[in-house]
Amino acid sequence: MKGDIAMKKCFVLAVTVSALLLTSCLTVNQKKIIAPPYAPPVQQGADAGEKEKMFYVYYSPKDKPVIDGNFADWDGLQGVHARRMVYGGLFNPEDTDGLFVVRADDQYLYVYARIDDNDPEVNTFPAPQAWRGDSVEFFFGTDTSRHTFYKSTDHRVRIVPQSKTNKSAYDFSIDDVSIKNSDIKVAVVYSDKGYQIEAAIPFSLMGVTKLRIRQNVRGDFQINDADNGKERSRLIHWNSGKDNTYLDASSWGNGRVAALDNGKGEVKK
Amino acid sequence: MNRKYIISVLAAVFFLNISLFAQYIKVEKDDKGWRLLDGTTPVEVKGVVWSYTPVGESYSYDLWSHDDAYIKLMIDTDMPLLKAMGVNTIRCFSTIPPKWVEYIYSKYGIYTIINDLLGRYGVTVNGTWYPSTDYSDTYTRETLIAEARKTAETYRAVDGVLMYMFGNESNYGLVWSGTNIENLPAGEQSTVKAGYLYSLLEEAMSACKDIDPFHPVGIVNGDTQYLDLIKKLCPSLDVLGVNAYRGYRFYDSFYENVADTLDKPVMFTESGADAFNEISRQEDQNAQMVYLKSQWQEIYQQSYGKGRSQNVIGGFVFEWVDEWWKHYQTKDLAVHNTEGTWSNSGYELDYRDGLNNMDEEWFGLCAQSKLTDRGINKRIPRAAYYMLSDAWKLSLYDSTDADITRTFGSLNTALYLAVGNERSVKETLNEHSLVKIGTLDTTVQTTTPCYVNDLKGSDWKSAFRYKNSDGAVNEPTTSAESSLGVTVQPFENFTASAVVKAWTNAPYTNLGDEWSCYYTDTATAASAPSTTLKYVDVYSAAFDYDTSYVYIYG
């Protein structure tokens, strides 16, 4: 009984001393916050839905999309949506929204992007600066270990639409270097509500030798949106919440290679 | 009536009083675009961000706390070089005291931008230091506006002030947090924070103008972010300062966006390129030069009277000398670090995704040597220095497109690079020459008697040996002697040198005797020469230490 009382006294003493020590380290400074001098116009935000947990690379050694500006080859495939606003206000599909789908055979990666944009514009910037105008970016790597830099297997692809009338007018860059190569095929088609892009990218340029079913990969998708003739006002990703995908491969999301069956869309994952 | 009259007279006297002492700098727009004028004289801003932090010092280095002699020495080291290059304005991150602003202007004709950082890197409010400035807090704002007023009061009648600038790409530093911000949707937090910042910048500019209406005011913005907000919240702005790092060019859209949104003159408060290549891992003066050449050609093309946006009044190259503290801030201050600090795809000559290609410690138009001259690290101009020296001879406002094409097309970049590289290599050799070998020679002496009478004999060996009548044998001898002279300069103004000789035998004189000085001195030296060789001896040694106060030598 005496022991219990002693213990309690010790406990009270310890709490008191701790409280005194703690408060002696604290400095409280008053702040007086003024009303915001600027409030952004009320935006019609929309529900971005739940982000897809991973993207799929639909693999088929025989069934290949034709890169011709007719996008039927992508119908029915489950892609991922780029709706994570890095900056540029709230997500609103009327301003910008994007669907990305990836396919592969034994030689090429194929990427499809359908971008909804209330002000689709051609982009006249050269490759390293093309992020300032309307364009899409695709990040891809086969090394799934966590790394906060780029390994030789990590790459960034940027596709820049350069004409509203000529679907073969584009700039294509890997790791910010423009590449003109007969093996690369790209088609861009504009509409009043946005633009669509499909591209075939040789494995040799992406550091890929072969993909196998159920192989895990890493990647992200990005929309650069510029409106009213000005420079980029919105940056949107599928996975990363920061503007660091070009530098830090750990900011990308997970992907997996899945078999594409003839019915397209019913895949073995 | 009388009251109004008195007030008018007093106001007139007040402004007359100020205008007698102050220059009247203004921006003006006509049908050819924007210009900056000092009275009626056009001022084309050909500027450099003046850095001077010595090797081994950190960001806390305070030049202005030194004695006047040292400050003057620093200014008199850099300003002649800047003036020779064609620089007419400097921008500096520390506040240059008024008397030195006047000194720089009166002696070198170089203007100074007064740049109040306005809490960019922290602020002390009511005795407490805040590393992240909360622009939404009333007390913080009051502190910063009082600071801005004080700045204007201090400099309003100082000759050489070109204009006031507030902040330093402060839109990149909106990092404070608070419940009022965190309760906002993620996409709106930055914009609301920016609203606080720009409204404060407006208050600062407005307060400054009230006190000094004779100089333009502006802000230093990070690129062209938030132009719409600046338009809404900063009506007092005269000049938009922009820190921009876009590689070869800034692009038409840059100038057009400023013109369309703000209709104000724009000035590059920072632009430039580093001189280190992250791929080849060595100094790259060529890259720095070609980026700067391209940037300035575009600035000329977008300036007054060229028919494009016509809204750029000049700019500041970042920066004067390399700053060795920048990578680690507080450590490795005497190491010129080569680790990239940030990544920028616009600088494509050494860009790769995932690689930090911008080397903060290598942005200088001049390298700094570890060697000092009168206590100041020697400046080693790079190729870009020589290139701009020629390019800036062309008038910004009074040139045509044809002049620009001709001038930039005829710049002798190969020569600038050769000169820049040569100076760099020479200085590198000097830095590694703290110990110099001034003398290194070896002499071999062979003597042989030749007994001519015996030459006809069959024994050739005996022909080279001679035995005199006392029985002493003279035979061929060989002796070698080496001299090594070393000079050391461990620090500025001190030199010490010594020459050491070593030998195998004492050489013979012309009379066939051996030099006695090659033997040890002994007590019996006077009566009987020593026969013990010294082999090694110090031949000469000297030192001198020469300063402006004392000269010691020996």
Side-chain angles (χ1 to χ4, degrees), chain B residues 151-208:
Chain B
T151 300
E153 292 281 2
T154 306
Y155 288 95
R156 66 178 179 174
V158 174
D159 268 356
V161 172
L162 188 66
M163 65 179 79
Y164 298 93
M165 283 274 149
F166 292 95
N168 181 44
E169 50 191 53
S170 308
N171 49 312
Y172 296 157
L174 306 174
V175 292
W176 84 91
S177 60
T179 49
N180 59 322
I181 298 295
E182 283 161 10
N183 289 339
L184 296 167
E188 290 186 355
Q189 289 180 4
S190 296
T191 313
V192 171
K193 281 185 180 180
Y196 282 113
L197 167 69
Y198 290 112
S199 72
L200 178 75
L201 287 166
E202 166 57 22
E203 283 182 40
M205 287 189 287
S206 174
C208 184

Side-chain angles (χ1 to χ4, degrees), chain A residues 29-38 40 89-90 125-126 128-129 131-132 150 156 175-176 229-231 246-247, chain B residues 128 130 134 136-139 141 180 185 191 195-196 199 229 246 251 253 257 261 343 345-346 348 351 353-354:
Chain A
N29 289 306
Q30 192 187 0
K31 276 191 177 184
K32 202 161 118 188
I33 306 301
I34 65 167
Y38 176 78
L90 304 176
F125 286 98
Q129 298 291 323
W131 56 267
R132 296 183 187 278
Y150 269 41
R156 165 166 61 161
D175 301 337
D176 259 333
K230 295 185 178 173
E231 297 183 358
Y246 65 96
L247 195 63
Chain B
T128 302
Y130 295 90
D134 181 348
S136 67
D137 172 43
T138 304
Y139 304 117
R141 293 172 76 93
N180 59 322
T191 313
Y196 282 113
S199 72
L229 271 188
R246 294 186 170 199
Y251 301 97
S253 58
N257 289 347
T261 310
S343 172
S345 62
E348 57 194 82
Y351 179 77
D353 276 359

Side-chain angles (χ1 to χ4, degrees), chain A:
Chain A
M1 191 62 184
K2 275 186 181 177
D4 283 352
I5 292 169
M7 281 287 284
K8 277 181 186 172
K9 279 182 179 173
C10 282
F11 178 73
V12 170
L13 187 64
V15 168
T16 308
V17 170
S18 301
L20 281 172
L21 280 174
L22 192 64
T23 51
S24 68
C25 297
L26 288 177
T27 307
V28 179
N29 289 306
Q30 192 187 0
K31 276 191 177 184
K32 202 161 118 188
I33 306 301
I34 65 167
Y38 176 78
V42 178
Q43 283 188 313
Q44 202 62 38
D47 181 10
E50 196 173 336
K51 183 182 85 69
E52 297 86 355
K53 284 182 180 165
M54 63 169 59
F55 71 95
Y56 290 99
V57 178
Y58 298 107
Y59 169 79
S60 169
K62 292 178 183 173
D63 190 353
K64 308 172 184 203
V66 180
I67 307 300
D68 58 359
N70 175 353
F71 304 102
D73 288 331
W74 303 92
D75 287 347
L77 289 177
Q78 187 187 337
V80 295
H81 292 86
R83 291 175 172 172
R84 193 155 192 185
M85 302 297 293
V86 179
Y87 70 75
L90 304 176
F91 168 71
N92 185 340
E94 288 181 13
D95 294 330
T96 323
D97 193 6
L99 170 73
F100 290 84
V101 188
V102 186
R103 293 178 60 172
D105 57 20
D106 288 329
Q107 288 180 300
Y108 287 90
L109 273 172
Y110 302 93
V111 182
Y112 167 71
R114 188 186 71 219
I115 308 302
D116 299 332
D117 184 349
N118 60 345
D119 184 13
E121 297 183 343
V122 294
N123 186 332
T124 56
F125 286 98
Q129 298 291 323
W131 56 267
R132 296 183 187 278
D134 280 351
S135 53
V136 295
E137 297 183 24
F138 164 47
F139 304 84
F140 187 79
T142 50
D143 186 334
T144 56
S145 66
R146 180 183 155 75
H147 49 283
T148 57
F149 51 92
Y150 269 41
K151 291 187 173 180
S152 59
T153 50
D154 298 321
H155 294 285
R156 165 166 61 161
V157 172
R158 184 187 292 130
I159 303 169
V160 182
Q162 293 183 324
S163 169
K164 288 192 174 181
T165 52
N166 179 1
K167 62 186 175 186
S168 299
Y170 62 87
D171 183 67
F172 178 94
S173 67
I174 292 186
D175 301 337
D176 259 333
V177 177
S178 279
I179 299 178
K180 298 286 181 198
N181 183 329
S182 58
D183 281 347
I184 299 167
K185 295 180 181 66
V186 179
V188 182
V189 175
Y190 271 91
S191 71
D192 292 342
K193 296 177 180 175
Y195 56 95
Q196 294 181 81
I197 292 175
E198 59 181 353
I201 309 160
F203 275 3
S204 56
L205 294 176
M206 299 294 285
V208 179
T209 48
K210 187 171 171 55
L211 293 175
R212 54 185 169 72
I213 308 293
R214 293 198 180 88
Q215 178 179 343
N216 289 328
V217 293
R218 299 273 296 165
D220 208 339
F221 306 89
Q222 176 174 321
I223 305 170
N224 304 306
D225 184 22
D227 289 340
N228 305 317
K230 295 185 178 173
E231 297 183 358
R232 182 173 74 183
S233 56
R234 288 185 198 86
L235 170 59
I236 309 165
H237 284 144
W238 162 61
N239 187 72
S240 176
K242 292 181 180 175
D243 183 13
N244 59 352
T245 44
Y246 65 96
L247 195 63
D248 178 359
S250 73
S251 65
W252 302 351
N254 292 322
R256 184 173 295 164
V257 180
L260 174 76
D261 74 0
N262 289 335
K264 287 180 189 169
E266 291 180 21
V267 294
K268 192 193 291 179
K269 298 172 182 172

Side-chain angles (χ1 to χ4, degrees), chain B residues 320-370:
Chain B
W320 174 231
V321 294
D322 291 343
E323 295 184 271
W324 289 28
W325 59 269
K326 289 199 111 178
H327 189 68
Y328 291 114
Q329 313 270 319
T330 54
K331 68 168 189 172
D332 276 0
L333 300 175
V335 176
H336 203 187
N337 287 291
T338 56
E339 288 85 5
T341 313
W342 48 292
S343 172
N344 190 327
S345 62
Y347 294 79
E348 57 194 82
L349 291 176
D350 67 344
Y351 179 77
R352 276 184 200 151
D353 276 359
L355 179 74
N356 283 328
N357 60 328
M358 305 303 282
D359 290 85
E360 275 287 339
E361 295 194 5
W362 291 78
F363 268 84
L365 285 170
C366 293
Q368 285 204 80
S369 171
K370 279 185 178 177

Side-chain angles (χ1 to χ4, degrees), chain B residues 26-48:
Chain B
K26 62 184 175 186
V27 287
E28 197 174 83
K29 186 185 183 187
D30 60 27
D31 57 350
K32 287 182 172 180
W34 285 98
R35 284 186 302 169
L36 180 70
L37 301 166
D38 180 349
T40 55
T41 308
V43 180
E44 305 166 347
V45 181
K46 293 167 179 169
V48 162

Side-chain angles (χ1 to χ4, degrees), chain B residues 274-293:
Chain B
D274 65 324
F276 190 84
N277 188 308
E278 272 297 327
I279 294 173
S280 64
R281 303 288 304 150
Q282 60 185 2
E283 186 184 37
D284 190 350
Q285 294 194 27
N286 182 60
Q288 185 188 40
M289 177 177 64
V290 297
Y291 286 127
L292 279 167
K293 180 177 170 232

